[in-house]
Amino acid sequence: MSQYTTGELAKLCNVSVRTVQFYDAKDLLKPSERTEGGRRLYSDNDMSKLRLICMLKALGLTLGSIKGILDSDSPAKVLLLLLDEQAKQIGGDIKDKQKQLDSIKMIKESIRNTNRIPVNSISDVERMMNSQKKLKKTHAIMLILGLIMDAIQIVALILWIIRGIWQPFAIGMPLVILLGVWMTWMYSKNTDYICVACNTQFKPTLGQFLFSKHTPRTRKLKCPKCGHTGYCVEVASK
């Protein structure tokens, strides 16, 4: 089996030496061996793992999320499903854009020939322009609500600590809790998960959703069809 120094591994994976050292410090990629002088040596398996880390990082996952996936029993399957979903999303976006272009062409042709805009074309364009992926909408709502909740808590704490006004905190915290409960319910309602073992799309129970380990794109669940327990890929509900 081949062995690579930090510099050799970095060059083969097209990353910097500092990146390899950083992943070592973060317990993402430990060297298989060390020389008596403390020099790191990496194996072919380590190189494959680094390439997987780079791929997950390119998909927008955080280092914490990547570590969770690497610790799962089938990280490669999780990556394949993530790539499948990314491809579907891009394909859907391309299809929507093509429909928009076709509608625009039809409207332009109608205007040139009759100087009129067909009503059904307007509705088609509006429908396509307003159509977005349910999952994107859900994530956007989650982000906005999270920022609102943070703002309420920070302002209320500042008023209490600096000015001694506790009433905003007393009123704001129940509101934050209610927003958090609703946000969690909304999130669980609009998301399903795909099992990496049998590719079944399913919706976990609220209890499983709340108390399972998760990353921004995956959640550790038990598949109701095949019984496999592992990180499942998040998708929009059917």
Side-chain angles (χ1 to χ4, degrees), residues 7-215:
E8 291 170 340
L9 182 68
K11 185 175 182 180
L12 287 169
C13 295
N14 197 28
V15 298
S16 66
V17 171
R18 183 170 295 182
T19 296
V20 178
Q21 294 171 340
F22 178 71
Y23 289 158
D24 182 4
K26 293 295 182 180
D27 293 328
L28 283 172
L29 183 68
K30 289 293 185 183
S32 297
E33 294 183 31
R34 284 183 181 268
T35 64
E36 293 182 358
R39 194 180 189 187
R40 298 176 178 87
L41 293 177
Y42 294 91
S43 65
D44 289 328
N45 288 335
D46 295 328
M47 182 166 60
S48 298
K49 189 175 183 180
L50 177 56
R51 286 173 174 165
L52 177 58
I53 292 170
C54 294
M55 180 67 72
L56 293 172
K57 192 75 169 60
L59 289 173
L61 274 69
T62 65
L63 294 183
S65 300
I66 293 172
K67 190 174 189 307
I69 292 173
L70 292 177
D71 290 340
S72 69
D73 55 356
S74 53
K77 288 186 177 181
V78 173
L79 175 59
L80 285 173
L81 277 176
L82 285 171
L83 291 173
D84 285 343
E85 290 305 312
Q86 188 77 1
K88 288 178 185 177
Q89 181 176 329
I90 293 172
D93 290 342
I94 292 173
K95 188 176 180 180
D96 288 342
K97 295 296 183 185
Q98 186 59 54
K99 287 181 179 179
Q100 292 175 27
L101 285 173
D102 292 341
S103 293
I104 290 170
K105 289 178 181 177
M106 183 172 59
I107 292 172
K108 289 171 66 177
E109 189 68 23
S110 177
I111 293 172
R112 289 193 185 102
N113 295 335
T114 65
N115 202 33
R116 294 174 59 189
I117 302 175
V119 175
N120 62 324
S121 296
I122 295 175
S123 63
D124 287 344
V125 172
E126 288 179 344
R127 176 178 55 80
M128 286 182 287
M129 291 299 290
N130 292 328
S131 66
Q132 296 180 0
K133 294 293 183 180
K134 288 174 65 179
L135 199 56
K136 285 185 178 180
K137 291 182 179 179
T138 300
H139 289 164
I141 293 171
M142 292 280 291
L143 177 60
I144 293 170
L145 287 177
L147 292 173
I148 292 173
M149 292 164 63
D150 288 342
I152 292 173
Q153 294 178 79
I154 292 170
V155 171
L157 281 172
I158 290 174
L159 289 174
W160 191 1
I161 294 171
I162 296 178
R163 298 191 177 183
I165 305 174
W166 58 269
Q167 290 88 346
F169 185 83
I171 296 171
M173 290 312 297
L175 178 60
V176 168
I177 293 171
L178 287 174
L179 281 174
V181 170
W182 182 85
M183 183 172 66
T184 302
W185 173 82
M186 182 272 299
Y187 188 23
S188 65
K189 180 182 178 183
N190 289 296
T191 52
D192 288 348
Y193 292 86
I194 297 179
C195 173
V196 298
C198 67
N199 291 330
T200 297
Q201 182 171 337
F202 65 96
K203 183 179 291 295
T205 65
L206 185 59
Q208 291 172 331
F209 181 86
L210 289 174
F211 300 109
S212 58
K213 293 181 179 179
H214 63 90
T215 74

